[in-house]
Amino acid sequence: MIPQQGEERNDILCYTRLPQEDIVYAPKLAHSMHLAYSEDGLNYQALNHNSGVLFAKATENEDGTLRAKSLKQPYLFHTADGCFGVVAVRTEAAGEPDEESKGKVLVFSSRDLLQYTELGLLELRADTHVSDVACTYDFERKVYRIHWTDESGQAYENTIADILSLTGISAPEQAQPLTANTISADIEGILPRNVISVPEEIGRRLRFKLTVPENVAVVVPDRVSAASPEELKAVRATALYSDGTQATKRVNWNTDAIDWDKAGTYKITGEIHQDHYPFPIALNRADPCIAKWKGKYYFIATNDADKEHTLYMREADTIPGLVTAEEALILDSSTYEGIGGLLWAPELHIIEDELYIFHAATPGEFFHEESHVMKLSPGGNPMNAADWSRPCRVVKKDGSYLCEAGKTISLDMTVIRWNGQLYAAWSERQFLPVDLGAWVYIATIDPKEPWKLTSDPVLLTRPDYGWANNHTFVDEGPFALYTDEKLYLTFASAAVDATYVVGLLTADKGADLLDIRSWTKGNYPLLTSRSVPGEYGPGHNSYVTDDDGVIWNAYHARPGIQGPRSSGLRRVHFDIDGAPVLDLTEEKDLNPQLKQVSMEVNVG
C-alpha cells in the first residue's frame, strides 16, 4: 500500500507484552499481537484495553486433543493488494520454542486489522529456529522480502512473490542483522515491534472498534406538540457517542408547568432515565438468565452458595425489581432420583408459548453431568416448584442420550431461533479416553419436545486460541443476541476463575447455522478482566430486552480476583458495525452532566 500524496494517515504500533502473574496476564495472553494507535507518530494509545487482538491457533494432536500455541515477534506489513499481513514466530503456549515451527514463520492476512486469517507456516528452507522476523513488500521487484534471525543471531533474507500462498519462496541468503526498534510508548508491559502507516479511515475504525465509546451529547426535539402527559412519555432522547453511534433513552419529563386545558407553548425540563445496577446484583449467583413471561420478569442462576445443589428463581414486574425480589426454590438435589447435584447454568426459554428451563444436572458424579429440560405445566406458576415437570435428559435424533454418561458431559444448553428454525447450542466435554476440553455444538430441535435433537450435532467452536485455553481448554455458555441483519452468539472460555472471558461467533441473516462456513469467529474476546475495573473473570452471559426496548447483558464476574462468582447487569450497546459492546459502563453510557434536558411543548 503506497501512501498517496496529501492523504491523511495514522500510525499503528504492533507489540506484545511482558507476562504478569498468571491469574492477571498469563503468557498465553501476553504472547499475542497487541495494537496501539497514534495520530502524530509520537503518542500511542493502547487499543482493546491493552489486550491482544491476534492469537496463534492451537494445533491438533493425533488423539484429537489440542496443543496450545502462542506467538512472539509479530510484524505488521502492507500486502500488494492494499491489505495487511502479519508474520510471527510461533511458540509453545508459554513462549518456549516450537519444534513444529523450526525453520518456519507463521503468516496471517487481514483486510482491516480486526479480523485475521491464519494462513499457516511458511517454510524458510532452513533447519534452525527463528528468533526474529520482519517482512516488507518491495513494489519495484514485486516480491516480499522476509528478513529473519536464527537462534544463533545470524540474519537471513528470503523473497517470495505471493506470501499469502505460502509457496515459491527463495533460498535464504545471509543479510545484515535486523535493527532493534527504538519505539517508545507509555503502555504497561509493552514489547514494541513495528509501526505501519494506515489511511485515516482505517485508523479511525480501529480506534472506534477497539476502545469503549463514551456519551458525548444528548439530543431531544426543540419543540413537540402534545395533548396529554401520556403523549409526552413517547418523546425520547438520543444519546450520541464518541464513535458516532447512538442510543435511544427514555426521559422522565416534568410537566408541572403545563396547563393541559390551556393552549400555548410551554418550556419543560426532564431527566434522562437510567437504571442503576451496581455490581454485583446477586452474590454467589453465576450463569444468570432473565426472561419475560406473561408480563413478569424472572431471574434464575447457578447457586454457588450451596455448591450448586439448588435452583432458585426471582419474579418481579420490572428488571430492576429482580434485584431485591424474594427467591423461590424451583429444584434441588433431593427432589428427584437421578438429579443429585451440580445444577448448572439454568436458562429460561419460551418455545411455542410454553416456558422451559434448560439446565445441567448429575445423579452425583461430575463425569455424569448432562443437559436436561423442565417444562412449566399449562397455566402453572413459574415460582411454584410443583408446577414444573421432572427434568428430562436431552436425547439425540435417534432417541439415545446426547452423551455417554461417565465419558462425556454436556451442559450450558441454550435455544436459538433463526430463519424460522429452532436450534439448541451447548457445550460438551469428552473426558475418556482423553480429555478433549469443552467444545460448543449446535443442532436443530423439536419445538414440541425441545429436549429432542432433530439433526446431528455440528461443532461450532473449540478453544483453539490462548484466551480460550488459558488454565483449561473450555468453550461453553453460548447465548444468542439478535439484530436485523446478524446473529451474534457469545460464549465463555477458559477456566471459571479470573481468566474467564467472552468470545463471539457471528452469522449473517439467512445463513444455514449447521454449515460451519456460515460462522465467523472473532480473534479476540469481547469481555475480559481488563474490560471493567473491579470485575474479574466475566462470562457466561445472557440477554433480555426490557419494556423500553433496551437490551441488557446478564453476566457473572468476580468482585475481586478471588471473589465469588456473582451476577451483574449492563446495557448492551452496538458499535459502528452493529456488533455488541459489552463493556459500556454506566458513566460512559450516560454522562451525568448531560442527564438534564429541556424542550418546548405546544398544547392545543
Side-chain angles (χ1 to χ4, degrees):
M1 181 183 292
I2 302 176
Q4 302 299 311
Q5 186 173 4
E7 181 183 35
E8 294 291 335
R9 301 182 70 83
N10 298 144
D11 286 339
I12 302 300
L13 166 62
C14 153
Y15 66 99
T16 60
R17 281 185 56 178
L18 290 168
Q20 295 177 284
E21 183 183 350
D22 194 60
I23 197 72
V24 176
Y25 209 65
K28 284 185 178 181
L29 304 179
H31 300 322
S32 63
M33 188 178 80
H34 301 57
L35 295 178
Y37 163 92
S38 175
E39 294 182 350
D40 60 10
L42 299 173
N43 301 290
Y44 285 91
Q45 173 191 357
L47 300 175
N48 198 36
H49 301 291
N50 196 18
S51 299
V53 299
L54 177 60
F55 295 75
K57 282 187 177 180
T59 57
E60 187 172 319
N61 297 316
E62 289 185 3
D63 60 4
T65 57
L66 296 176
R67 186 180 182 91
K69 301 293 181 181
S70 292
L71 62 82
K72 288 184 175 180
Q73 310 295 72
Y75 195 94
L76 268 175
F77 61 93
H78 295 287
T79 56
D81 61 357
C83 295
F84 305 95
V86 180
V87 288
V89 177
R90 195 178 74 178
T91 70
E92 296 290 1
E96 314 95 328
D98 171 26
E99 287 303 316
E100 294 179 75
S101 300
K102 189 175 184 180
K104 306 167 188 174
V105 291
L106 193 58
V107 181
F108 303 85
S109 64
S110 177
R111 297 186 62 84
D112 57 7
L113 300 179
L114 289 164
Q115 191 67 36
Y116 298 81
T117 299
E118 183 175 314
L119 301 174
L121 292 167
L122 174 63
E123 297 264 6
L124 297 177
R125 300 173 62 179
D127 187 26
T128 179
H129 282 290
V130 179
S131 63
D132 199 359
V133 63
C135 181
T136 56
Y137 185 68
D138 186 330
F139 283 92
E140 291 186 4
R141 295 179 55 192
K142 298 190 182 325
V143 296
Y144 294 91
R145 306 170 69 96
I146 303 166
H147 196 178
W148 57 280
T149 304
D150 69 12
E151 54 197 328
S152 66
Q154 178 62 53
Y156 299 89
E157 184 177 278
N158 303 65
T159 59
I160 184 171
D162 181 11
I163 194 171
L164 305 184
S165 72
L166 305 180
T167 59
I169 195 168
S170 70
E173 297 182 0
Q174 288 195 356
Q176 293 296 314
L178 283 167
T179 55
N181 65 69
T182 58
I183 303 164
S184 177
D186 185 19
I187 297 174
E188 181 186 15
I190 186 172
L191 295 172
R193 289 294 293 152
N194 74 303
V195 172
I196 63 169
S197 175
V198 301
E200 186 179 35
E201 179 183 350
I202 288 179
R204 184 188 304 111
R205 179 172 161 76
L206 272 174
R207 181 163 53 89
F208 288 166
K209 291 284 287 186
L210 296 176
T211 57
V212 182
E214 298 185 21
N215 176 219
V216 294
V218 170
V219 178
V220 295
D222 292 330
R223 179 178 295 183
V224 299
S225 295
S228 69
E230 289 302 314
E231 289 186 20
L232 271 187
K233 286 182 180 179
V235 179
R236 303 299 172 100
T238 301
L240 307 179
Y241 295 87
S242 54
D243 61 355
T245 58
Q246 59 187 44
T248 302
K249 303 285 186 182
R250 175 157 56 97
V251 182
N252 298 319
W253 294 107
N254 182 351
T255 61
D256 291 347
I258 299 178
D259 182 348
W260 295 103
D261 296 322
K262 183 178 179 181
T265 300
Y266 300 86
K267 180 87 169 185
I268 67 169
T269 60
E271 181 173 288
I272 309 294
H273 176 82
Q274 184 181 41
D275 289 321
H276 181 53
Y277 296 109
F279 177 80
I281 62 164
L283 276 169
N284 288 299
R285 293 293 188 271
D287 319 323
C289 183
I290 299 174
K292 189 177 184 182
W293 169 253
K294 295 189 174 180
K296 299 277 189 178
Y297 288 94
Y298 295 88
F299 170 94
I300 195 167
T302 302
N303 186 4
D304 283 356
D306 66 6
K307 298 183 179 179
E308 298 94 35
H309 279 282
T310 57
L311 292 180
Y312 283 89
M313 191 135 69
R314 301 181 186 185
E315 177 190 73
D317 293 328
T318 63
I319 294 176
L322 292 171
V323 177
T324 55
E326 294 293 323
E327 292 187 323
L329 180 65
I330 302 302
L331 180 67
D332 63 26
S333 57
S334 61
T335 305
Y336 299 106
E337 184 179 353
I339 305 295
L342 300 184
L343 301 176
W344 286 351
E347 293 189 8
L348 294 157
H349 290 285
I350 301 167
I351 302 172
E352 294 194 347
D353 295 325
E354 303 280 2
L355 184 61
Y356 296 87
I357 297 176
F358 287 68
H359 68 92
T362 176
E365 296 182 28
F366 168 77
F367 294 103
H368 288 248
E369 183 82 356
E370 299 297 344
S371 294
H372 291 72
V373 180
M374 300 166 64
K375 181 180 180 180
L376 184 68
S377 61
N381 177 3
M383 297 293 282
N384 184 5
D387 288 343
W388 288 96
S389 70
R390 177 192 176 100
C392 181
R393 191 168 158 188
V394 175
V395 297
K396 294 187 287 190
K397 68 177 185 178
D398 63 4
S400 62
Y401 287 131
L402 178 59
C403 296
E404 183 179 343
K407 177 182 176 181
T408 303
I409 68 171
S410 64
L411 62 154
D412 299 356
M413 185 166 280
T414 193
V415 174
I416 303 171
R417 296 168 185 80
W418 197 243
N419 300 330
Q421 275 274 25
L422 197 66
Y423 301 82
W426 68 95
S427 182
E428 193 171 301
R429 184 168 184 172
Q430 175 191 299
F431 283 98
L432 294 174
V434 292
D435 182 0
L436 294 181
W439 301 2
V440 173
Y441 291 83
I442 189 172
T444 54
I445 56 176
D446 183 351
K448 301 294 184 185
E449 297 177 305
W451 54 90
K452 293 183 178 180
L453 306 189
T454 56
S455 71
D456 291 327
V458 172
L459 175 64
L460 275 188
T461 176
R462 57 183 186 171
D464 46 10
Y465 291 128
W467 50 265
N469 54 54
N470 198 8
H471 289 190
T472 188
F473 287 75
V474 166
D475 279 351
E476 62 183 16
F479 203 93
L481 176 60
Y482 309 94
T483 66
D484 291 341
E485 299 298 326
K486 301 278 188 180
L487 165 62
Y488 296 101
L489 190 71
T490 52
F491 59 94
S493 293
V496 287
D497 54 20
T499 66
Y500 212 41
V501 299
V502 175
L504 182 67
L505 288 160
T506 306
D508 290 330
K509 184 178 181 178
D512 177 5
L513 300 190
L514 298 185
D515 183 347
I516 189 59
R517 295 171 299 181
S518 297
W519 295 90
T520 300
K521 183 176 178 178
N523 300 109
Y524 53 89
L526 284 186
L527 202 59
T528 74
S529 291
R530 290 161 300 287
S531 299
V532 176
E535 298 185 11
Y536 297 88
H540 203 122
N541 44 341
S542 62
Y543 307 99
V544 62
T545 303
D546 69 14
D547 293 334
D548 288 328
V550 176
I551 301 174
W552 294 91
N553 170 30
Y555 62 97
H556 78 241
R558 297 173 184 269
I561 290 179
Q562 301 299 333
R565 298 193 302 171
S566 302
S567 295
L569 270 174
R570 191 159 49 242
R571 186 179 77 81
V572 178
H573 190 64
F574 293 92
D575 71 12
I576 55 175
D577 294 330
V581 176
L582 303 182
D583 50 0
L584 185 71
T585 54
E586 287 185 12
E587 65 277 7
K588 292 184 177 181
D589 182 19
L590 180 60
N591 184 335
Q593 297 181 356
L594 301 176
K595 295 181 82 168
Q596 306 301 321
V597 293
S598 63
M599 68 176 180
E600 292 183 344
V601 179
N602 288 333
V603 176

